[in-house]
């Protein structure tokens, strides 16, 4: 599967930390061949659509039956079957709960409601054609050579890098806020003017927002308590369902 | 980490005869035991890194930036072959730029999820065979 995945990736030559105010280089790690030789594996960046599509195609080829738009509503009390939104029930020898940060399976395994709470950080994201950056000489350092840039500054890092998918340039911004009791559970669009306001004092971000078409925002969630058990007789949780990660690495 | 989970779990279960009473439950417990500390450590590390990234202008921020720049100078010297022998290359220990922290990087990228899963499966097979004899 790796060869198929690698057809869709970007190989950054370096990962650089910069100051938010001046873009001064603070630290640069060589990536590319250096990392590939060290760990006998490439360090690559991929758009999740491409990764999911390769995984999906491989799963189908292996005989997996994938049903879209069948959200899991409950695990039954003996936890050997699930019920989906349209009422269908599926029983199984093993249930793998990989249902992410709003996992239904997690609560069934824990036997109680385990709230995910606001980490106090909003994440903004916008993308644009890479060519838009390439057209501006003083911004070309962000894409040439292929690289990852992370700006450190008050309230959280901003990161930018390219993805192969549609030849896009991706910008992700973090911003602290007063933790909300009921954080929004899904990403939503925010006005670019708001983003500009929130990142006053970040000159590079001001310029990049000025080049963007639209921006979405979501709230990074964390566990309100540690989940002690990830498993029961026939159920196992994996991924964000049992260990939600903040996106800082 | 989710990909690691998937590789460890699928390799661990592999061809285990899960119809054997109790074996699946024990295998799933093994999965959690293997993964738990690793992912919890990474969760905490990510939060620590964020706190360092997000510093407001001030003394701590200046110290962070100075530290990063010093590490960077050493790294450039290292790559240019200018460092004296014996210094090793783990001079960005606990760095805010985690990709430069050699021991942490080795811990993250040096993990062989398949090997871990296989070892766990092999151990479980021993237990299963032992039970079967009883």
């Amino acid at each position: 599967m790796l060869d198929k995945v690698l057809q869709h990736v970007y190989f950054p030559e370096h990962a650089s930390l910069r100051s938010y105010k001046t873009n001064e280089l603070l630290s640069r790690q060589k990536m590319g061949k250096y990392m590939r030789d060290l760990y006998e594996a490439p360090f690559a960046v991929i758009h999740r659509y491409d990764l999911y599509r390769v995984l999906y195609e491989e799963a189908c080829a292996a005989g997996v039956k994938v049903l879209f738009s069948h959200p899991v509503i409950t695990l039954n009390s003996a936890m050997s079957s699930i019920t989906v939104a349209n009422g269908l029930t599926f029983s199984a020898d093993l249930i793998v709960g990989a249902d992410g940060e709003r996992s239904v399976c997690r609560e069934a395994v824990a036997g109680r409601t385990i709230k995910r709470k606001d980490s106090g950080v909003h994440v903004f994201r916008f993308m644009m054609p890479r060519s838009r950056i390439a057209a501006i000489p003083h911004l070309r350092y962000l894409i040439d050579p292929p690289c990852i840039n992370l700006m450190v500054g008050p309230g959280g890092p901003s990161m930018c890098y390219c993805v192969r998918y549609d030849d896009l340039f991706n910008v992700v911004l973090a911003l602290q806020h007063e933790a909300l009791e009921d954080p929004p559970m899904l990403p939503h669009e925010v006005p670019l003017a708001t983003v500009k306001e929130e990142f006053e004092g970040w000159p590079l971000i001001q310029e990049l927002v000025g080049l963007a078409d639209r921006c979405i925002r979501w709230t990074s969630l964390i566990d309100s308590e540690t989940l002690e058990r990830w498993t029961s007789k026939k159920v196992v949780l994996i991924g964000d369902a049992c260990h939600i990660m903040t996106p800082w690495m | 980490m989710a990909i690691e989970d998937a590789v460890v779990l699928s390799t661990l279960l592999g061809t285990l005869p899960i119809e054997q009473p109790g074996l699946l439950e024990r295998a799933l417990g093994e999965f959690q035991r293997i993964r738990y500390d690793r992912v919890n450590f990474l969760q905490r590390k990510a939060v620590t890194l964020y706190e360092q990234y997000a510093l407001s202008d001030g003394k701590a921020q200046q110290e962070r930036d100075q530290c990063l720049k010093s590490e960077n100078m050493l790294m450039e010297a290292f790559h240019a072959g200018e460092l004296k022998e014996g210094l090793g290359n783990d001079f960005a220990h606990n760095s805010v730029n985690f990709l430069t922290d050699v021991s942490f990087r080795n811990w993250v990228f040096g993990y062989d999820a398949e090997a871990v899963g296989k070892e766990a499966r092999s151990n479980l097979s021993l237990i299963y065979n032992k039970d079967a004899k009883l």
Side-chain angles (χ1 to χ4, degrees):
Chain A
M1 211 188 307
L2 181 62
D3 287 340
K4 292 198 176 118
V5 171
L6 291 181
Q7 284 166 34
H8 303 284
V9 306
Y10 222 89
F11 296 110
E13 289 299 316
H14 64 81
S16 296
L17 249 64
R18 295 179 180 276
S19 160
Y20 79 105
K21 212 187 280 189
T22 61
N23 299 324
E24 178 193 11
L25 179 70
L26 300 172
S27 168
R28 167 169 293 173
Q29 175 59 49
K30 252 194 206 234
M31 307 295 285
K33 185 175 186 304
Y34 180 71
M35 286 296 210
R36 193 193 290 248
D37 288 345
L38 266 183
Y39 298 108
E40 292 170 7
F43 187 103
V45 174
I46 191 170
H47 192 296
R48 78 179 62 203
Y49 170 77
D50 284 328
L51 181 61
Y52 286 174
R53 200 183 51 197
V54 172
L55 290 171
Y56 168 70
E57 286 167 0
E58 288 298 298
C60 291
V64 174
K65 191 172 168 194
V66 182
L67 300 172
F68 292 106
S69 304
H70 281 65
V72 173
I73 303 299
T74 53
L75 259 70
N76 81 350
S77 51
M79 293 207 277
S80 60
S81 75
I82 56 161
T83 306
V84 296
N86 62 10
L88 276 179
T89 301
F90 299 87
S91 58
D93 297 317
L94 171 67
I95 296 170
V96 179
D99 50 343
E101 70 178 15
R102 281 162 283 132
S103 169
V104 163
C105 299
R106 177 184 71 242
E107 303 206 329
V109 167
R112 66 188 188 283
T113 308
I114 299 197
K115 206 166 176 257
R116 251 64 204 266
K117 64 178 189 178
D118 191 340
S119 69
V121 186
H122 286 316
V123 183
F124 299 77
R125 196 272 221 118
F126 54 90
M127 305 184 95
M128 67 182 80
R130 182 185 174 276
S131 54
R132 222 174 269 181
I133 301 294
I136 300 172
H138 69 263
L139 291 182
R140 282 193 199 132
Y141 73 97
L142 294 174
I143 57 172
D144 186 19
C147 56
I148 301 171
N149 283 280
L150 190 143
M151 266 63 67
V152 291
S158 296
M159 233 169 92
C160 57
Y161 50 87
C162 288
V163 292
R164 281 274 289 276
Y165 179 80
D166 248 16
D167 212 17
L168 293 170
F169 180 72
N170 188 41
V171 184
V172 184
L173 316 172
L175 190 75
Q176 279 172 328
H177 65 274
E178 280 283 319
L180 301 163
E181 258 301 305
D182 244 318
M185 287 287 148
L186 292 171
H188 57 273
E189 189 159 344
V190 291
L192 291 170
T194 306
V195 185
K196 271 209 147 182
E197 223 179 272
E198 300 279 30
F199 289 89
E200 198 187 309
W202 296 61
L204 175 63
I205 302 307
Q206 293 295 311
E207 191 170 3
L208 293 177
V209 174
L211 296 169
D213 300 319
R214 56 189 288 263
C215 183
I216 58 170
R217 190 189 81 179
W218 68 89
T219 306
S220 175
L221 301 176
I222 52 174
D223 282 319
S224 54
E225 48 172 296
T226 313
L227 187 65
E228 291 305 328
R229 281 207 68 179
W230 298 353
T231 73
S232 66
K233 283 202 168 67
K234 292 184 178 185
V235 182
V236 58
L237 305 173
I238 65 171
D240 274 353
C242 57
H243 53 72
I244 190 163
M245 292 291 178
T246 50
W248 315 125
M249 295 178 62
Chain B
M1 286 292 128
I3 304 278
E4 279 186 13
D5 286 345
V7 173
V8 170
L9 181 64
S10 56
T11 313
L12 187 162
L13 290 177
T15 51
L16 270 186
I18 60 168
E19 68 282 357
Q20 175 81 6
L23 184 59
L24 177 62
E25 193 174 2
R26 202 194 305 241
L28 298 182
E30 259 310 278
F31 165 75
Q32 175 174 342
R33 195 186 64 77
I34 293 166
R35 297 293 297 159
Y36 196 80
D37 288 345
R38 181 173 170 82
V39 301
N40 275 310
F41 182 84
L42 213 72
Q43 273 180 319
R44 292 195 303 274
K45 177 78 175 179
V47 171
T48 305
L49 284 172
Y50 174 79
E51 286 164 2
Q52 282 296 304
Y53 293 150
L55 291 172
S56 296
D57 293 354
K59 190 160 178 291
Q61 165 261 319
Q62 284 163 26
E63 281 171 6
R64 174 200 70 195
D65 289 359
Q66 199 42 55
C67 189
L68 283 167
K69 286 196 268 195
S70 306
E71 289 166 4
N72 202 50
M73 273 171 52
L74 285 170
M75 266 191 300
E76 285 179 355
F78 170 71
H79 284 296
E82 286 161 12
L83 287 185
K84 301 234 188 292
E85 285 287 315
L87 198 66
N89 68 338
D90 196 5
F91 30 67
H93 191 65
N94 242 13
S95 177
V96 175
N97 186 355
F98 76 90
L99 288 170
T100 65
D101 180 345
V102 173
S103 43
F104 177 68
R105 202 174 68 197
N106 290 346
W107 179 85
V108 174
F109 299 146
Y111 186 81
D112 187 339
E114 209 176 0
V116 166
K118 278 186 182 151
E119 190 181 288
R121 186 179 71 200
S122 159
N123 291 344
L124 281 165
S125 299
L126 291 174
I127 296 167
Y128 158 71
N129 288 330
K130 205 164 75 173
D131 284 347
K133 276 176 197 160
L134 297 170

